Amino acid sequence: MTFNNKTNNLEEPVNLDQVMDSLKKLDSRNKKLMHGMYIVYVVFALIYTGLLILNPDPELGLNRRLQGGMYVLIFSMSAIYFRYHFRKNKAVDYSAPVLEMLTAARNRHKLWTKGTVCFIIALVGLTDIVVTWAIIDDKFLADYSLIIKILLVQAVYFITMGISFLIGYITWRRKSMPLVHNLNRIIEELKKDEG
Amino acid sequence: MNSKDIQYKQIIEENQSRIRSVSRYYAGTSDDSEDLYQEILINVWRGLEKFRGDAQLSTWVYRIAVNTALSFVNKKNKYLNFNTYLDDGKAANLVGDDREDSIVHEKQLELMSNLINQLSVVDKIIMSLVLEELNTKEIAEIVGITETNVRVKIHRIKEELREKVKGGQYDI
C-alpha cells in the first residue's frame, strides 16, 4: 500500500491526516475481506449440509448421510484451521523485541509444528475413513472382496496424499527453507554472547 | 478525530526523524526508503492498540521500525542480506567529524560504509541502533537481548571495524 502523498523528497513531512485516512480504509477493507471469507465458509458448510445430510431424497440412505456429515466436518475443520492461520499470520506483532519477532517468524515458516501435525493426521485419517467407507459402499469395485477393495482404496489414497505432500515439501523447500535456516542463524547469533 | 487518531499523530510527529533514519539505513533507493517509511507508519497504526506503555515510546517505535525493516528486507531478499546506507551526519560520529578535508571525510565515510556492509545481519542491526546514539539499555530492549550481550557485541563490532581499518587511521 502506498499513500497518495508519496514523494521522493524524504525530508518533506507527510500529510498525516491523509495517511490516517488511508489506514482506516485499509483496516475497513481487511475487516470486510475477513468477514467475506467467513461467510463463504459458512455458506459452503450449509450447502454441503443441505445436499448430503438433509436432502429428502429417499435413495440417500443413512450411510450416505453419515458420510455427508463427515465431509461437512472435514470441510469445517479445514475452514476453521485456515482461518485461524490466516489471522495468526496477519497478526504479526511488530512491536515485539527483534529476537521475539524473528523467533515467531521462524516458527511460522517451519515445515512442521505440533498443531500442523495434529491437524494433518486428523484430516488425513478422517478423509481416509470417509473415502474408504464411501467406495466400499458404492457399486464401484463391486466384484472385488472387501479386503482387496480396502487395500486398493488405501493404495490410491496414500499415493495421492504422498504426491500432495511431496509437492508441498518441494514448495516449502524452495520458498521457506532458506528463510528458516537464515532465521535460525540470526537467532543463534543474537543469543551468542548472552551471559 | 478520536483519541487513537490524536495519539497516532503525536507519535508520528515526535518520531518522524527516527523512522526516517531507519528507513534510510535499511533501504537503498529513495523509493524503497519511502515505501519502507510508509510500511512503518502502517505498522505503528496497527500496533497502537497493543501499546501498553511497558516500554518507552521511542523504544516501541524503534522496535516497530527495525522489525518492519527486516521484513521489508526479507521480501526483497530471502537471505536477509542487506546493504546499509549510512546517514552522512550519523556516520560522522564513527569516523570523527573533521570536515576540514572533505575528500578525506568522504573516503572515511565510504570506507566505513563498506566495512559495515561486510558485517553480519545481527551486527548491522546493532550498528543501526548505535548510529542512532541509543544506549545499551535501549538497544537491549529493542533487540530483546541482555545489556551485557549488547555491550559485548558493540565492543566486538568496534574491534572488528578497528582491525579492518588500516593501521587504526580512523577513530571509531
Side-chain angles (χ1 to χ4, degrees):
Chain A
M1 179 201 167
T2 50
F3 305 127
N4 295 332
N5 60 340
K6 186 171 174 176
T7 168
N8 281 331
N9 182 358
L10 297 182
E11 297 311 321
E12 194 176 304
V14 290
N15 181 341
L16 276 179
D17 291 324
Q18 208 177 351
V19 168
M20 285 192 291
D21 199 40
S22 306
L23 287 168
K24 282 176 187 168
K25 274 183 193 157
L26 187 74
D27 281 354
S28 150
R29 205 177 62 197
N30 284 341
K31 262 186 198 165
K32 276 183 192 162
L33 189 76
M34 288 294 296
H35 191 66
M37 293 288 284
Y38 178 70
I39 296 289
V40 168
Y41 291 142
V42 170
V43 167
F44 267 104
L46 287 176
I47 289 173
Y48 265 74
T49 309
L51 280 176
L52 299 166
I53 307 172
L54 305 173
N55 191 338
D57 184 354
E59 280 184 23
L60 200 65
L62 181 66
N63 278 3
R64 282 279 183 253
R65 289 178 192 275
L66 286 173
Q67 286 156 19
M70 284 175 83
Y71 279 125
V72 172
L73 181 68
I74 290 165
F75 187 76
S76 306
M77 270 170 64
S78 310
I80 291 167
Y81 182 78
F82 287 116
R83 190 164 182 249
Y84 163 75
H85 265 269
F86 181 70
R87 280 194 164 181
K88 204 171 129 189
N89 285 353
K90 285 282 282 180
V92 175
D93 185 8
Y94 286 97
S95 63
V98 175
L99 179 60
E100 208 177 288
M101 209 266 314
L102 293 177
T103 309
R106 191 254 326 256
N107 294 342
R108 268 200 314 276
H109 288 278
K110 266 183 178 174
L111 181 61
W112 300 112
T113 61
K114 228 186 221 173
T116 314
V117 172
C118 291
F119 171 75
I120 288 174
I121 290 173
L123 192 75
V124 170
L126 207 57
T127 312
D128 185 26
I129 291 169
V130 71
V131 167
T132 311
W133 185 12
I135 290 176
I136 289 171
D137 232 22
D138 208 272
K139 285 165 190 160
F140 182 63
L141 300 177
D143 297 340
Y144 295 94
S145 69
L146 183 66
I147 289 290
I148 298 291
K149 273 186 194 176
I150 291 173
L151 287 176
L152 273 173
V153 175
Q154 295 308 299
V156 174
Y157 181 73
F158 281 100
I159 287 172
T160 313
M161 284 294 127
I163 293 169
S164 309
F165 283 128
L166 191 67
I167 292 169
Y169 175 73
I170 291 168
T171 311
W172 174 83
R173 205 182 148 86
R174 199 165 47 85
K175 286 188 175 173
S176 300
M177 200 177 79
L179 178 64
V180 172
H181 282 180
N182 273 294
L183 286 171
N184 275 335
R185 192 173 45 78
I186 293 168
I187 290 165
E188 262 174 44
E189 196 186 334
L190 272 169
K191 289 177 176 171
K192 194 174 73 183
D193 298 316
E194 286 289 351
Chain B
M1 249 196 204
N2 60 34
S3 62
K4 186 184 177 186
D5 294 1
I6 296 166
Q7 196 188 4
Y8 179 72
K9 213 169 175 178
Q10 196 183 339
I11 290 171
I12 298 303
E13 276 165 2
E14 282 171 12
N15 294 280
Q16 198 150 331
S17 63
R18 294 184 175 105
I19 301 173
R20 285 277 184 217
S21 284
V22 173
S23 307
R24 270 194 293 260
Y25 185 84
Y26 285 85
T29 64
S30 60
D31 267 355
D32 276 354
S33 178
E34 189 62 16
D35 287 345
L36 175 54
Y37 179 77
Q38 295 193 353
E39 272 193 36
I40 296 170
L41 293 190
I42 294 172
N43 288 332
V44 170
W45 172 265
R46 284 181 178 158
L48 206 53
E49 276 157 25
K50 286 183 192 162
F51 181 64
R52 300 274 173 267
D54 302 336
Q56 261 190 338
L57 195 60
S58 59
T59 307
W60 183 79
V61 169
Y62 269 123
R63 274 183 191 167
I64 293 180
V66 174
N67 284 331
T68 309
L70 288 171
S71 301
F72 183 84
V73 166
N74 177 48
K75 275 184 213 160
K76 300 211 164 250
N77 179 346
K78 63 185 167 188
Y79 291 94
L80 271 167
N81 275 331
F82 62 96
N83 280 331
T84 57
Y85 300 88
L86 290 186
D87 178 88
D88 218 34
K90 300 250 166 70
N93 294 333
L94 285 175
V95 294
D97 61 354
D98 175 16
R99 288 177 182 269
E100 280 176 17
D101 188 343
S102 63
I103 297 169
V104 171
H105 180 74
E106 212 171 284
K107 278 186 179 172
Q108 286 174 336
L109 277 179
E110 201 186 315
L111 175 72
M112 196 51 65
S113 186
N114 288 338
L115 290 178
I116 288 179
N117 278 323
Q118 285 167 29
L119 295 172
S120 67
V121 172
V122 169
D123 291 350
K124 281 179 199 168
I125 297 170
I126 302 281
M127 281 313 285
S128 74
L129 300 168
V130 170
L131 285 167
E132 287 297 301
E133 294 170 9
L134 298 179
N135 61 40
T136 47
K137 187 173 182 280
E138 289 167 318
I139 297 176
E141 280 177 5
I142 293 164
V143 180
I145 54 179
T146 61
E147 279 185 66
T148 317
N149 192 345
V150 173
R151 267 194 292 272
V152 172
K153 280 184 171 35
I154 294 174
H155 178 75
R156 185 181 40 75
I157 297 166
K158 286 193 170 183
E159 279 298 307
E160 208 176 310
L161 290 174
R162 217 172 258 135
E163 282 285 311
K164 285 178 178 170
V165 176
K166 272 186 186 170
Q169 196 180 348
Y170 305 118
D171 179 28
I172 51 169

